[in-house]
Amino acid sequence: MSLTVTAIVVSYNRAGLLQECLDALAAQTRHPDRVIVIDNASTDGAADVAKRHSLQPEVTVLDHNVGGAGGFCAGIARALAAAADSDADIGTDDTGSYGNAAAASAAHGTTTRPSARRINNSQQASHYVWLMDDDTIPTPTALEQLLAAAGEARERNGVWPAVLGSKALWTDGREHLMNKPRPRTWRALGAANLEQSAEAFQVRSLSFVSCLINARMIESARALPRAAYFLWNDDYEYTTKLLRHATGYYVPESLVVHKTKVFGSSDADPGERFFFEVRNKLWILRFSRGNFTAAEYAELLLKTLRRWALTYWRSANRAVILDCFKRGLREGLGQRPAGNAELLAGNPDIVAAIGAVEG
């Protein structure tokens, strides 16, 4: 089956990195069929970088910064709406050459109003969305290797995988441990490992640092990333939802460079961002319980408490961590996450696309 891939890049005030990211997409051995850039109201000219790029990406400039979570929500919604409008016109082959319709319909700084009709599952079965921030630089074979793993998983398991993720390296070549998932503990279906895709293993969650998601799974779930999370744990919440009854794989042969300012791991001192860790994890525990089995939920709760305790004891500034914990606890227990359409209300085209997915 021929697969169509829409790359979605979320950008905010990193024009130089966005240029590198788009250059890397253009250099892929298997080109994405469509590229969408969601700009979070940047003030450094990042949107202009995207508009001028030879890839001719479809650029949506949001009315305000909604964080990575809101950007991916908007990007996925736009990708699925665009696929519904033009799926029959995209001419892609197994080598991944660009479709004429995709190039001809490339938008420059505006968005076309998406169709409100539901997306046909048979079309979306062959469509994947490829997510990344602007500081993610895919190596030339990153997409090719993800799709090879998807094909192998399809052959071994009888169904296309829901989600696949790349191995992220830091700028010095070390593996970026903050983006490395753990093997799935309780596996109900599908092969635990892939053979042709060396060292690929089944996972329960993945980060949005080069994350390939089956559009049919998105349509079936009628769900998008929660924009209210702003940043942190939005990818965990979303991929655990999609992988509750489906398979996903971490694919180490697909490599990207994650150009964060400092090398990070899951136990690095988060500073002020610890607020988002606490609030969003509490929202997951309160409102996304259906993403997990009882055993998984208990494991998540215990690991969360352990992580918070270690974060406090390891921090060089415990006063900041304690303040973030208190504020996160107050909002995480006292508020509900606002809806995606509400948070993106200033972007009517995106709101319409969200409605088409979420119903």
Side-chain angles (χ1 to χ4, degrees):
M1 176 184 288
S2 177
L3 296 177
T4 298
V5 177
T6 300
I8 299 170
V9 181
V10 175
S11 173
Y12 178 66
N13 279 347
R14 293 188 291 208
L17 284 174
L18 178 60
Q19 179 73 46
E20 286 188 60
C21 177
L22 294 177
D23 288 347
L25 291 180
Q28 291 296 297
T29 55
R30 196 296 194 186
H31 292 134
D33 303 281
R34 173 180 256 114
V35 178
I36 293 174
V37 173
I38 302 295
D39 183 79
N40 261 318
S42 295
T43 58
D44 69 341
D48 292 330
V49 167
K51 294 173 188 177
R52 293 194 302 263
H53 200 275
S54 61
L55 275 178
Q56 295 185 300
E58 302 170 34
V59 181
T60 294
V61 180
L62 300 179
D63 68 324
H64 69 287
N65 181 16
V66 290
F72 287 121
C73 170
I76 294 173
R78 175 147 171 70
L80 267 63
D85 283 340
S86 61
D87 184 81
D89 297 326
I90 295 178
T92 184
D93 56 31
D94 290 332
T95 64
S97 59
Y98 287 102
N100 291 333
S105 64
H108 297 272
T110 59
T111 59
T112 55
R113 187 167 186 83
S115 169
R117 62 189 171 91
R118 298 293 297 171
I119 299 140
N120 183 283
N121 275 348
S122 64
Q123 293 175 328
Q124 296 302 329
S126 61
H127 181 205
Y128 276 84
V129 293
W130 187 22
L131 310 183
M132 66 195 73
D133 285 301
D134 50 12
D135 62 354
T136 302
I137 314 300
T139 61
T141 61
L143 180 56
E144 179 183 344
Q145 294 293 345
L146 286 175
L147 292 178
E152 182 183 352
R154 170 68 174 83
E155 291 178 3
R156 297 201 65 187
N157 301 333
V159 294
W160 289 101
V163 190
L164 302 102
S166 300
K167 179 178 180 178
L169 308 176
W170 198 46
T171 53
D172 63 359
R174 285 182 291 171
E175 182 169 9
H176 225 321
L177 297 179
M178 65 183 293
N179 301 125
K180 184 177 182 178
R182 296 181 178 89
R184 188 164 189 159
T185 306
W186 293 281
R187 182 173 53 85
L189 68 163
N193 302 91
L194 300 180
E195 297 175 355
Q196 298 175 23
S197 298
E199 301 181 10
F201 57 82
Q202 194 173 151
V203 294
R204 189 63 177 85
S205 66
L206 283 162
S207 82
F208 283 164
V209 177
S210 184
C211 185
L212 192 71
I213 304 180
N214 189 323
R216 183 170 186 176
M217 292 302 302
I218 298 170
E219 167 67 11
S220 297
R222 294 194 174 190
L224 293 163
R226 291 178 181 262
Y229 281 43
F230 196 78
L231 55 84
W232 276 33
N233 290 319
D234 52 309
D235 45 10
Y236 179 77
E237 192 279 335
Y238 192 59
T239 57
T240 55
K241 183 192 301 291
L242 297 181
L243 292 174
R244 176 69 167 84
H245 301 291
T247 57
Y249 289 91
Y250 174 65
V251 186
E253 288 195 335
S254 172
L255 295 172
V256 301
V257 178
H258 191 194
K259 290 194 170 184
T260 56
K261 291 182 179 179
V262 297
F263 179 78
S265 63
S266 59
D267 59 357
D269 191 335
E272 292 286 350
R273 292 189 172 193
F274 189 58
F275 161 76
F276 295 105
E277 156 65 19
V278 174
R279 184 196 64 179
N280 296 349
K281 196 64 68 65
L282 287 171
W283 277 350
I284 290 173
L285 290 167
R286 292 179 63 202
F287 303 113
S288 300
R289 192 163 185 165
N291 293 9
F292 311 97
T293 65
E296 289 171 340
Y297 186 86
E299 181 184 39
L300 171 62
L301 179 59
L302 291 174
K303 285 184 176 180
T304 296
L305 294 174
R306 178 180 181 274
R307 178 176 180 178
W308 290 353
L310 289 176
T311 298
Y312 176 79
W313 288 113
R314 291 171 176 170
S315 177
N317 194 339
R318 292 180 180 175
V320 170
I321 296 299
L322 186 59
D323 177 67
C324 289
F325 177 77
K326 291 178 180 178
R327 290 189 292 114
L329 194 68
R330 185 165 56 249
E331 289 197 19
L333 295 178
Q335 299 180 15
R336 299 177 64 92
N340 290 332
E342 176 184 349
L343 291 173
L344 287 153
N347 309 273
D349 294 347
I350 297 299
V351 171
I354 289 171
V357 177
E358 295 182 337

